[in-house]
Amino acid sequence: MPNSNSKFHVNHRGAREAGRRELVSRSLQSAQHCLEDQDFGTAYAHYLLVLHLAPELKTSVKEMFQFTLFKWAEELDSLARVQDLFNCYEQALELYPNDEVICNSMGEHLFRMGFRDEAAGYFHKAVKLNPDFADAKENFYRVANWLVERWHFIMLNDSKRNLTYLKAIENAVHSGCTSVLDIGTGTGILSMFAKKAGASSVYACELSKTMYELARDVVAANNMEREIKLLHLKSLDLEIPKHIPERVSLVVTETVDAGLFGEGIVESLIHAWEHLLLQPK
């Protein structure tokens, strides 16, 4: 005699699957009707339901989901519903974490609202995901011009200055300072000088998200990403052994311009002396 309980469970699963497919189909139709009526908020909610119930449709509905998200985001922006806008993008990026178009759009909203450092992070991620994405590259360079102070370019092209720093770091490392902390690393040039001079351990911290990402790229381009530990932190927040495993024997920094106030160079050096530097015997 056939097992009636087993048959019931099979039928129940079949009915549940049929119900899921029916709900997905109706939600897709409702989303389309809402778009025709320019009810973007409701359409967005329908697409969220579809993607929750049928993740296998992520690829096929991606374009329409993006379109709906962007239209709804524009409406939320115009209504100054900032938190709702960011919530929508967070939901979208949970569904499509590696979507360069959504990352770029999120960055554009952040930039317009004045969150330029955060915007740069999303533009940078979009470019990493798709190096040929022209809009993201243009946006990243545009926000970088706001965030990367002009004196960085002047310093990097000052060969006399760079040579002086290189010789000073070499002298310190060769005299026994083999563990180095670079405060406000910027492009990472002083950290790379220390490593090339023979330092066994090099740590670098940078408060600006944009400069931190730039330093990562520069260090990687010089094949030193495994030799220099980069930290997106204010130096005052550095802790041993949470962030770096040891006290260092040398601190290098060139925190100038507004950084005197933003990073707090005096406080940073006192903190480094008291907590991060090896003390003289």
Side-chain angles (χ1 to χ4, degrees), residues 119-129 136 140 213-214 216-217:
Y122 281 97
F123 293 145
H124 185 264
K125 181 179 180 180
V127 173
K128 285 288 189 182
L129 290 167
F140 181 70
E213 295 290 355
L214 179 60
R216 287 183 61 187
D217 288 344

Side-chain angles (χ1 to χ4, degrees), residues 4-281:
S4 58
N5 286 334
S6 175
K7 186 175 181 181
F8 170 78
H9 287 304
V10 170
N11 290 338
H12 180 67
R13 284 197 300 270
R16 187 170 58 186
E17 176 61 20
R20 182 187 74 92
R21 288 197 302 266
E22 177 66 18
L23 183 54
V24 167
S25 176
R26 290 192 177 192
S27 293
L28 285 171
Q29 291 174 11
S30 296
Q32 189 59 44
H33 291 320
C34 289
L35 288 176
E36 291 170 1
D37 295 335
Q38 297 190 346
D39 182 359
F40 301 115
T42 307
Y44 177 75
H46 280 298
Y47 276 119
L48 284 182
L49 178 60
V50 167
L51 291 168
H52 175 71
L53 292 173
E56 68 274 12
L57 297 180
K58 282 175 68 174
T59 301
S60 61
V61 304
K62 180 178 176 179
E63 282 191 28
M64 290 307 300
F65 176 78
Q66 287 177 342
F67 173 81
T68 306
L69 167 67
F70 300 155
K71 287 293 187 180
W72 180 225
E74 288 176 9
E75 192 172 322
L76 291 172
D77 194 8
S78 69
L79 296 170
R81 292 171 56 183
V82 176
Q83 190 57 56
D84 289 335
L85 186 152
F86 288 154
N87 288 342
C88 286
Y89 273 97
E90 287 176 3
Q91 291 168 337
L93 287 170
E94 284 180 7
L95 291 166
Y96 297 96
N98 296 317
D99 188 284
E100 69 274 18
V101 179
I102 295 176
C103 285
N104 183 64
S105 181
M106 175 67 158
E108 289 176 337
H109 282 286
L110 286 165
F111 184 79
R112 284 196 295 271
M113 293 176 186
F115 301 106
R116 290 171 182 150
D117 208 24
E118 293 83 355
Y122 281 97
F123 293 145
H124 185 264
K125 181 179 180 180
V127 173
K128 285 288 189 182
L129 290 167
N130 182 1
D132 296 323
F133 189 8
D135 286 351
K137 286 197 291 187
E138 181 180 343
N139 283 332
F140 181 70
Y141 295 143
R142 178 161 57 103
V143 75
N145 283 333
W146 283 88
L147 294 171
V148 180
E149 295 86 346
R150 293 297 183 266
W151 47 263
H152 271 292
F153 301 109
I154 296 171
M155 289 191 306
L156 290 172
N157 287 287
D158 186 344
S159 57
K160 183 177 179 180
R161 162 201 167 274
N162 292 338
L163 184 59
T164 301
Y165 265 99
L166 176 60
K167 287 182 177 178
I169 291 172
E170 284 179 343
N171 289 338
V173 172
H174 294 164
S175 68
C177 297
T178 57
S179 55
V180 181
L181 171 63
D182 181 4
I183 294 177
T185 191
T187 58
I189 188 170
L190 299 186
S191 294
M192 291 188 290
F193 283 170
K195 196 62 196 178
K196 286 182 178 180
S200 57
S201 303
V202 180
Y203 313 101
C205 61
E206 175 56 54
L207 179 60
S208 165
K209 176 68 172 175
T210 303
M211 294 307 301
Y212 166 74
E213 295 290 355
L214 179 60
R216 287 183 61 187
D217 288 344
V218 171
V219 168
N222 286 273
N223 299 314
M224 293 187 182
E225 65 269 31
R226 295 184 180 179
E227 301 175 356
I228 298 173
K229 183 174 181 179
L230 286 165
L231 298 157
H232 179 219
L233 278 175
K234 189 174 183 179
S235 62
L236 295 173
D237 295 330
L238 278 176
E239 297 179 17
I240 297 172
K242 182 179 179 180
H243 301 116
I244 60 177
E246 60 184 334
R247 285 176 177 262
V248 298
S249 51
L250 175 66
V251 169
V252 296
T253 186
E254 192 172 22
T255 316
V256 297
D257 195 68
L260 285 168
F261 306 101
E263 173 69 5
I265 187 61
V266 176
E267 292 87 350
S268 296
L269 292 177
I270 292 173
H271 175 72
W273 175 259
E274 292 178 345
H275 303 285
L276 306 174
L277 267 170
L278 288 169
Q279 299 296 310
K281 296 180 180 179

